[in-house]
Amino acid sequence: MNEPPMTKQNDVRRIMISVAHSMLGIFLLFVLAEPANANDGDPVAIRYWPGGCFSIESMWNIHVAIGVDAGNRAALPRLADVEFVDDYWEASESYSLVLDRKPNEPNAMLKPMSECPNPSLNSIRFSRVALKNEATQKSLFVNVLFVDGVAILDSNKNSVGDLLAALKEVKDLPKEIQTIDAFLIDDTIADPASFETLRGLLKPRVMVLRGAVKFDKVGDAFVEPIAHNTLSVSRSGPTSTSKWVKLGENPWSMDAALADLFDKKEAACKSSRAVFKELSVNQLNFRPSNGTHTPRWNTEHMMGRELLFFSQIYHAMDSNIPILDLNPKQMPPDYRPAHKDWTGLEESKQMERVESFTRRFAYLLNGMDLNKTAKGSAFWTPKALLKQMEAHYKEHTANVVKKKELPDWPKN
């Protein structure tokens, strides 16, 4: 980190403070936390949108939209990898589908499970479950999404009354819906007692209602109103109670000061990604003869610092978001690449995934004083952290650009 230039008027006290700040900044960037495993602990974002649409965003940055149409597509934060519609079930002739993109592959692909015998840990699995009403001999369908250890049940726009009628006729719940983490319900008309009966049959960890429901309590349980449209959920142990929330349909909006800090950090990350995505696997693993780090270490280090520091703050605000530490060892002799076969493009995608994570859950910064140490952080204020990350991307990217001038730099 570069310090501002000294002037002749600096007295001894100011020099000492400057040195102390410099040393503190170095220490803060290299402090370690307990590591967390990826995938089956990663936070998943559930988001509601206008017109009966909801979307799922995973840590691998896979984005699924269900119920999207021409009227609400523009509201989504970005183009979905899949806009899920019933036609997929009919076209695939399968009730089990997989959406997956493995490292170094260009795009996520949706295929029947039978064609994906070895899906990656980052995949999203879909199951269509038929609930047959024996009295009427009619079936209704619900959808289950499995991602990062989380099971999400989509009511598929079925009313609470129809779901109850079908479930009461089911002798044994289908295995796909026996353990549900989040149950998404579109019905805004049913009475609280019916919702509670439905909850009792499925026992999800969280009942996710639309903000348009009129009640604030179900039995003895309060329904938590969330003004914005995003809820985090992650894998957890069984619980005897269910949490009730109702989500709005509009994303949380940053104030101008915070938005400016985010924009500058993301611009620095984008410029950095442009450098790394052009590097070959060989160039990323290049160990300079001068003893400095490989280019791959730099990208892992930049990504890891942002992920760790922001997840510490987010975890303090929402326990569904774990502390995520993917930082590499600091000294060159101790460093072992996390993914030595990842291309430069995949490493740049990893940086982008962390950037998306930071913005996806930024609503947890709502109301924080940008100039006071954030909850969950031992030393960072939101403003200082965002400015430091901006500088950090620029610094380490410049270090890698310099490596290209070394005589032993590989040409490909």
Side-chain angles (χ1 to χ4, degrees):
M1 284 66 68
N2 295 324
E3 294 295 314
M6 296 287 187
T7 67
K8 293 182 179 180
Q9 288 74 34
N10 289 128
D11 57 19
V12 173
R13 180 173 179 272
R14 290 187 62 191
I15 294 174
M16 292 177 66
I17 292 174
S18 178
V19 172
H21 284 175
S22 179
M23 294 303 295
L24 177 62
I26 294 172
F27 168 75
L28 299 185
L29 281 179
F30 299 122
V31 67
L32 297 178
E34 290 298 316
N37 293 326
N39 306 117
D40 264 13
D42 286 346
V44 178
I46 297 172
R47 313 185 77 176
Y48 267 138
W49 302 95
C53 171
F54 82 87
S55 63
I56 302 295
E57 295 177 61
S58 73
M59 195 70 191
W60 193 244
N61 234 9
I62 294 181
H63 183 207
V64 175
I66 298 180
V68 69
D69 57 32
N72 55 30
R73 183 176 289 108
L76 297 176
R78 59 188 174 89
L79 186 67
D81 293 294
V82 163
E83 294 181 355
F84 211 83
V85 294
D86 283 343
D87 290 347
Y88 283 125
W89 300 118
E90 297 171 6
S92 68
E93 298 182 349
S94 171
Y95 276 10
S96 296
L97 302 174
V98 180
L99 178 64
D100 199 6
R101 188 190 72 79
K102 296 178 181 178
N104 297 338
E105 291 183 352
N107 300 304
M109 300 293 291
L110 183 68
K111 299 179 180 179
M113 178 69 82
S114 59
E115 297 179 17
C116 299
N118 298 300
S120 76
L121 294 176
N122 302 304
S123 66
I124 298 181
R125 293 181 292 120
F126 303 85
S127 289
R128 192 186 200 198
V129 179
L131 301 176
K132 188 173 183 179
N133 187 317
E134 298 295 338
T136 63
Q137 292 298 303
K138 292 183 179 179
S139 294
L140 59 78
F141 296 92
V142 293
N143 304 314
V144 189
L145 293 78
F146 301 92
V147 53
D148 292 344
V150 173
I152 302 169
L153 175 59
D154 162 36
S155 63
N156 200 28
K157 299 189 183 301
N158 290 299
S159 70
V160 169
D162 287 343
L163 288 167
L164 285 175
L167 285 167
K168 287 178 179 178
E169 295 291 336
V170 174
K171 294 181 180 179
D172 297 303
L173 287 178
K175 65 180 186 304
E176 295 90 347
I177 61 174
Q178 289 178 4
T179 304
I180 294 297
D181 294 289
F183 186 10
L184 315 185
I185 309 174
D186 289 289
D187 192 334
T188 60
I189 300 174
D191 60 276
S194 297
F195 274 98
E196 171 56 19
T197 301
L198 185 60
R199 183 213 65 81
L201 292 171
L202 294 170
K203 299 179 176 61
R205 283 200 292 127
V206 57
M207 295 282 285
V208 187
L209 314 182
R210 301 196 74 88
V213 297
K214 303 300 182 183
F215 52 85
D216 298 312
K217 196 174 182 182
V218 179
D220 295 329
F222 286 95
V223 181
E224 178 187 352
I226 299 176
H228 57 79
N229 73 336
T230 306
L231 176 73
S232 68
V233 61
S234 61
R235 185 173 187 176
S236 179
T239 178
S240 59
T241 60
S242 298
K243 178 181 179 180
W244 295 79
V245 301
K246 52 181 177 180
L247 280 179
E249 295 186 343
N250 297 305
W252 176 71
S253 180
M254 297 181 185
D255 63 32
L258 184 60
D260 181 63
L261 291 166
F262 261 82
D263 288 345
K264 288 177 178 177
K265 175 191 72 72
E266 291 174 354
C269 182
K270 183 177 180 179
S271 295
S272 181
R273 295 199 306 269
V275 170
F276 283 96
K277 72 179 183 181
E278 302 299 330
L279 300 184
S280 68
V281 171
N282 187 41
Q283 289 168 333
L284 284 166
N285 294 330
F286 166 60
R287 290 185 175 272
S289 57
N290 61 8
T292 58
H293 277 295
T294 67
R296 193 182 297 279
W297 176 89
N298 283 270
T299 181
E300 289 184 13
H301 173 73
M302 291 186 294
M303 170 278 300
R305 285 299 180 247
E306 176 170 341
L307 181 62
L308 173 61
F309 291 136
F310 277 98
S311 68
Q312 286 174 330
I313 296 171
Y314 291 169
H315 175 72
M317 304 302 296
D318 182 353
S319 61
N320 279 302
I321 300 176
I323 296 175
L324 299 166
D325 185 0
L326 299 182
N327 285 286
K329 294 289 186 180
Q330 177 57 34
M331 302 308 293
D334 302 326
Y335 168 65
R336 298 294 181 272
H339 307 283
K340 64 181 180 181
D341 60 339
W342 277 14
T343 63
L345 179 59
E346 191 61 53
E347 291 288 3
S348 73
K349 286 180 178 291
Q350 177 78 329
M351 294 166 67
E352 187 175 26
R353 287 191 282 270
V354 170
E355 176 185 292
S356 297
F357 161 83
T358 304
R359 182 172 281 270
R360 183 178 299 136
F361 299 111
Y363 61 84
L364 295 169
L365 301 175
N366 186 44
M368 285 190 188
D369 188 327
L370 298 184
N371 296 301
K372 289 185 178 180
T373 302
K375 184 178 179 181
S377 177
F379 27 71
W380 290 112
T381 69
K383 181 178 181 179
L385 179 55
L386 285 159
K387 290 178 71 69
Q388 182 59 63
M389 289 300 96
E390 176 193 356
H392 202 229
Y393 280 113
K394 292 178 179 179
E395 174 189 354
H396 283 276
T397 305
N399 289 343
V400 171
V401 170
K402 290 178 182 178
K403 296 180 193 296
K404 294 182 177 182
E405 301 173 0
L406 296 174
D408 49 347
W409 172 257
K411 300 302 180 184
N412 51 53

